[in-house]
Amino acid sequence: MSSKDYVEHSYSGYDSQLNLVAEAVEENTKTGGTWTHIPDENKTTVKALYDDFHPRHVAAENPSRSKIDVEERIEARNRTEPLFRNFCQRFFYDVPDLVTDAQLERMNLRPRDKTRTIHGKPEWRVALEVEPSKTRTHTIRWHVAETKAKAMPEECNGWVLVYKVLGSDDPVPRDGEEMAHSQLVTRNPYVVEHKSEDEGKRIAYCGAFQSRSRGLMGDWGEVVVAVLS
């Protein structure tokens, strides 16, 4: 794939890209379509991401927008972009025999760079430590589980943080696949803010490194649980 990022940086470009990909997936996975490699449970993934991001983008672009509208768009992008990257990598870039460069370009995704060395997913796992800071926030300190290093591995552009607010009877998730609130983290430490109604509840956190060159995610680290004060 090209060394330039394939995800649009501007909010408008990202919004348009989500829509194009969602439409292409719908068209090519219907009966008689050519993208038979996409499982049924994944066919509406990007449409759901678009439905999450688009109304918040529209609200933030409105001349009468509020600060909350702008913040909600930022949050929507933070939680949808890692999932969008994962989808594109898995179902487009990793299957060059099934999805052509021409199809990528029609979705406003950059074609593959055939001269670029292909790297696999990160071989490391994220280890998390959670501590309370000020009201309704947790400070996340992290390191590489295998090496204890507190710096980002050179081959990674960050790590994907997911978390879940647990009810009194909710079991602790087994891994990051059972969580939401996805966002890409590059800072160490990293502060997570929560809502007032979540005070006193348990918050489960998990993370996985993301490769710089292909957007591939590594294995999930251990789940860490902390009470929100």
Side-chain angles (χ1 to χ4, degrees), residues 126-161:
V126 184
L128 306 180
E129 298 176 5
V130 183
E131 61 184 52
S133 47
K134 59 183 180 180
T135 305
R136 295 192 300 278
T137 65
H138 278 152
T139 297
I140 310 291
R141 300 184 186 278
W142 58 270
H143 62 269
V144 181
E146 290 78 8
T147 66
K148 309 301 181 184
K150 297 180 180 180
M152 192 72 64
E154 184 177 350
E155 295 83 356
C156 299
N157 67 344
W159 60 275
V160 176
L161 168 68

Side-chain angles (χ1 to χ4, degrees), residues 52-138:
D52 183 2
F53 179 79
H54 180 67
R56 292 165 177 82
H57 171 63
V58 171
E61 289 293 300
N62 192 308
S64 61
R65 63 184 176 270
S66 66
K67 180 180 179 180
I68 292 177
D69 291 329
V70 174
E71 291 175 347
E72 287 187 344
R73 177 170 68 174
I74 294 173
E75 292 173 357
R77 175 140 190 179
N78 285 341
R79 66 174 170 263
T80 59
E81 185 174 332
L83 300 175
F84 179 58
R85 289 180 181 276
N86 220 21
F87 183 94
C88 292
Q89 190 63 55
R90 177 181 175 186
F91 296 117
F92 298 155
Y93 289 105
D94 285 351
V95 286
D97 295 336
L98 302 176
V99 179
T100 67
D101 282 350
Q103 288 174 316
L104 291 175
E105 290 180 314
R106 284 195 291 273
M107 293 183 288
N108 201 24
L109 294 171
R110 295 186 184 278
R112 304 170 185 84
D113 182 350
K114 296 177 177 59
T115 64
R116 188 177 179 85
T117 301
I118 297 177
H119 300 284
K121 71 179 186 180
E123 60 188 66
W124 311 275
R125 297 201 305 164
V126 184
L128 306 180
E129 298 176 5
V130 183
E131 61 184 52
S133 47
K134 59 183 180 180
T135 305
R136 295 192 300 278
T137 65
H138 278 152

Side-chain angles (χ1 to χ4, degrees), residues 159-178:
W159 60 275
V160 176
L161 168 68
V162 291
Y163 65 87
K164 182 177 182 180
V165 180
L166 303 176
S168 57
D169 297 326
D170 289 341
V172 175
R174 291 170 295 180
D175 58 34
E177 296 297 332
E178 300 178 26

